[in-house]
Amino acid sequence: MKVVAASHITGRGVSDAALKQGLSPYVSSPPRRIDRLSLLALLGAAPLKPVLQIDSAVYLAATYPARPNMFALLDAVCVHNRLPKPFEFVNSVSNAAGFHVAQQLGINGPNLFIGAGAQVWRDLLELASCDLESAQVQQALLLLVDEDHDEGFSVQSLVVESGGDALVSDSFERLTRGIEVLRFELRGDT
């Protein structure tokens, strides 16, 4: 596999409204009701839209699902014995983030979410290589969303294709060595 494009977006203290505003150069009308994980994933993937093919796969990993959404869902169901609100329930399935990325970027390949572990880049590359080697897709979009409310967020994104040497690394920096990475830093607005 070879890396054909990459982006790295970071920020701290950035509201959901500011994230949506950051999407405006790339997405004509972002979804109105999506959670923060979906917003961050879409923001990380959007700058790579010009290089993506329509049948690209999306493999998304995150250290945590959208925490406020999960807390609201668990509070409603476990503490108050209520049915969850539809927004909370739908977005509690982390694959919703990958769905929003694919829908907004106009791609329709396989779509998979995994929890980020210690070897997240190896796991994402392994998933992508299976579909690329079987020629099910020509490209794969790999995303890692990492958000810590004290430290801010980081979204690392790669577009990979067949060809070249095997990619094996646990480091975004090593995977992107020798290619130009689109880097953005969003500043807090709260």
Side-chain angles (χ1 to χ4, degrees), residues 44-66:
L48 303 176
K49 183 178 180 177
V51 300
L52 290 170
Q53 298 174 9
I54 195 165
D55 72 336
S56 294
V58 176
Y59 301 101
L60 169 64
T63 49
Y64 299 102

Side-chain angles (χ1 to χ4, degrees), residues 1-2 4 8 23 26 37 55 72 89 91 114 116 120 129 138 140 146-147 153 181:
M1 282 186 296
K2 61 183 176 184
V4 295
H8 187 191
L23 286 171
Y26 309 105
L37 173 60
D55 72 336
F89 178 73
N91 286 316
I114 63 171
V120 66
S129 71
Q138 301 303 309
D146 185 14
E147 182 174 29
F153 68 84
V181 177

Side-chain angles (χ1 to χ4, degrees), residues 9-153:
I9 299 174
T10 57
R12 186 177 184 153
V14 180
S15 70
D16 290 359
L19 292 175
K20 281 187 180 181
Q21 187 176 14
L23 286 171
S24 60
Y26 309 105
V27 178
S28 58
S29 62
R32 290 183 326 121
R33 298 196 55 152
I34 62 175
D35 62 15
R36 189 164 177 90
L37 173 60
S38 298
L39 279 170
L40 290 170
L42 186 54
L43 188 65
L48 303 176
K49 183 178 180 177
V51 300
L52 290 170
Q53 298 174 9
I54 195 165
D55 72 336
S56 294
V58 176
Y59 301 101
L60 169 64
T63 49
Y64 299 102
R67 289 179 183 177
N69 188 47
M70 290 304 295
F71 292 152
L73 174 75
L74 293 172
D75 184 61
V77 174
C78 299
V79 176
H80 295 99
N81 291 327
R82 292 188 310 235
L83 291 175
K85 294 178 182 174
F87 171 75
E88 293 167 352
F89 178 73
V90 168
N91 286 316
S92 71
V93 180
S94 296
N95 270 350
F99 165 79
H100 289 298
V101 168
Q103 181 185 50
Q104 291 295 309
L105 300 184
I107 54 180
N108 60 18
N111 186 329
L112 185 65
F113 173 86
I114 63 171
Q119 299 182 25
V120 66
W121 282 111
R122 286 186 186 187
D123 294 342
L124 288 170
L125 290 167
E126 188 174 315
L127 290 167
S129 71
C130 290
D131 286 338
L132 289 167
E133 288 174 11
S134 69
Q136 186 171 346
V137 296
Q138 301 303 309
Q139 284 185 329
L141 171 63
L142 312 178
L143 296 154
L144 172 58
V145 178
D146 185 14
E147 182 174 29
D148 182 309
H149 292 288
D150 295 328
E151 298 297 319
F153 68 84

Side-chain angles (χ1 to χ4, degrees), residues 137-183:
V137 296
Q138 301 303 309
Q139 284 185 329
L141 171 63
L142 312 178
L143 296 154
L144 172 58
V145 178
D146 185 14
E147 182 174 29
D148 182 309
H149 292 288
D150 295 328
E151 298 297 319
F153 68 84
S154 169
V155 184
Q156 299 172 335
S157 311
L158 298 176
V159 177
V160 296
E161 294 179 345
S162 295
D165 297 330
L167 292 175
V168 180
S169 181
D170 284 336
S171 165
F172 181 78
E173 289 73 25
R174 282 190 222 121
L175 289 167
T176 57
R177 192 174 293 145
I179 71 162
E180 184 176 345
V181 177
L182 302 171
R183 294 185 189 276

